[in-house]
Amino acid sequence: MTNRKMFFTMLWGAVFRRRSRAMMAVIASLVGAATLFCLASVCVAVPQQMNEEMRAYGANLIVTPASATGKSQGIDTATVRNVTALIGAGHSVKSAAYRYESVRINSAPYTIAGVDVKAVRALNRHWNVTGDWPGSGNVMVGRDVADALGVKVGSRVTIGYRAADASASASSSASAKSDSDESTETAESSAQGTQSTQTTQGEQTTQATENGRVSSDIMDNNGTEFRIAGIVDTGGNEDSIIYATTADVSKLAGHERGADVVEYSVNAMGDELNAIVNRINKNTNTAVKAQTVTRITSCDTRIIAMLQTLFWIVSLVVLVLTLVGVGTTISSIVSQRRNEIGLRKALGADSRAIGVEFYVESGIYGLIGGLLGTAIGYVLARVLCATVFGRALGLNWLLCVGSLLLSVAIAVIASIPPVRRATRIDPAIVLREE
């Protein structure tokens, strides 16, 4: 019998003669592999899934005009298309444009936003709307506006446009799109440019007071009558804004212009999202300034950081427990085979051959446990993702290979201390005890 055949014969006998001990080592590796693979799968898949879920809560990137001319004229449709194409390169994206104007209702100043209803509705699925969204001749008011005016769905209000105070509410409305100071300053400066342009245009139209669109009297209640189709309640700055179609706002103001703010919900986060922002800001052809919405991006980053921290803590605990479990099992096996090891050394077996046998035996336990544990871990991760996120989890083959290799490595490393003790057994002492 050759040495290699003898090696595998002894290895086979060592594994299957002590099935209970071998089962304990396999179970220890199985539990570790299942837990680690489940956590790793969740940590790889969940951030992307969470990012997709967070997109239902509004934009994570906004674009405003960069130059003074752009601030007065707004962002035209062609520029919006170009920026959208730039952002959408390799990413799924939703967008909505907002044109802000200052209006008066019962002589009190309010902000009205001209929007594409379909785009805004798709972007802000978390908005709680009672009634309907805006339509031709119909507006949707924020909860704070409705409470201040004492109106409800179906009520009618007269909205008057005054070019002289057109920037009064534009800055506060645009700042609702981002909680960062930088975003607020950009929106305010954009609104100031809008005011100057609208004032000039109001003068050029010779103060068209006959249709109620422009008034120079602060107490003038003339204007255009609109029906309140719905009331939106978000708990944020949107509650202080009146929403109408872009066509109605253009008709009310007496002229058309571009958007003050364009919101984007991009399927990206962290450094990837910041790279998109930098790419837009470095593109001088677009004449716009992009910035992230701190409220959304910081939430994404915080949740993912907490998830990763939890993963590392639990992984460390699982690794330690797996090492202890496998190491204890191998120590027990070595103690049972102490006489056998002494006899083999007395017959001329060297310590290296004995050590290799135990290391291979431990690796087999780790491989079997890793295979079973990886399969169980994948099932657990798949059930978890389907239950929490309602999404299927694909099998990551690279993660599977990593799980198997890690299981084998942990089993071998855990066996080092008992194997070293086994190779130091003095055959004379063992045989004397016999």
Side-chain angles (χ1 to χ4, degrees), residues 277-288:
V277 171
N278 293 333
R279 187 164 64 246
I280 295 173
N281 291 335
K282 291 179 181 179
N283 191 335
T284 57
N285 296 327
T286 58
V288 296

Side-chain angles (χ1 to χ4, degrees), residues 110 188 410:
Y110 291 95
E188 289 175 347
I410 290 175

Side-chain angles (χ1 to χ4, degrees), residues 70-136:
K71 292 173 183 177
S72 62
Q73 297 177 354
I75 306 173
D76 57 40
T77 305
T79 302
V80 172
R81 283 198 300 266
N82 292 337
V83 174
T84 302
L86 189 63
I87 295 175
H91 300 88
S92 60
V93 60
K94 296 179 181 178
S95 65
Y98 298 79
R99 172 188 175 179
Y100 295 106
E101 300 290 354
S102 179
V103 296
R104 289 189 178 268
I105 303 176
N106 298 333
S107 303
Y110 291 95
T111 298
I112 190 169
V115 299
D116 180 337
V117 176
K118 184 178 180 181
V120 173
R121 191 170 185 172
L123 185 65
N124 300 288
R125 290 179 289 167
H126 67 291
W127 284 11
N128 181 21
V129 177
T130 303
D132 297 325
W133 287 70
S136 180

Side-chain angles (χ1 to χ4, degrees), residues 322-372:
T322 304
L323 285 170
V324 172
V326 176
T328 302
T329 303
I330 298 299
S331 295
S332 177
I333 293 174
V334 169
S335 298
Q336 285 186 337
R337 298 175 61 183
R338 186 168 180 269
N339 294 336
E340 175 190 335
I341 295 171
L343 180 59
R344 289 175 59 185
K345 294 190 72 174
L347 294 175
D350 61 359
S351 299
R352 181 175 177 276
I354 296 174
V356 169
E357 180 182 336
F358 277 105
Y359 287 137
V360 173
E361 182 179 346
S362 300
I364 292 175
Y365 297 149
L367 180 61
I368 297 174
L371 284 170
L372 297 176

Side-chain angles (χ1 to χ4, degrees), residues 283-298:
N283 191 335
T284 57
N285 296 327
T286 58
V288 296
K289 180 180 180 181
Q291 50 205 6
T292 59
V293 180
T294 307
R295 177 180 56 189
I296 301 296
T297 55
S298 62

Side-chain angles (χ1 to χ4, degrees), residues 172-256:
S172 62
S173 305
S175 64
K177 306 309 165 192
S178 173
D179 289 343
S180 64
D181 294 338
E182 183 181 5
S183 299
T184 304
E185 293 172 359
T186 302
E188 289 175 347
S189 60
S190 175
Q192 292 173 357
T194 302
Q195 176 189 12
S196 62
T197 299
Q198 291 175 332
T199 303
T200 303
Q201 292 173 337
E203 294 173 354
Q204 293 175 351
T205 55
T206 65
Q207 303 296 327
T209 56
E210 67 278 7
N211 56 16
R213 292 183 305 205
V214 178
S215 172
S216 59
D217 186 353
I218 193 172
M219 298 302 294
D220 189 354
N221 292 326
N222 293 329
T224 303
E225 187 178 67
F226 289 90
R227 175 182 175 273
I228 297 179
I231 299 174
V232 58
D233 188 354
T234 67
N237 290 335
E238 294 86 357
D239 292 356
S240 61
I241 301 174
I242 303 168
Y243 294 91
T245 63
T246 303
D248 279 349
V249 172
S250 297
K251 184 178 179 181
L252 182 67
H255 64 278
E256 296 183 357

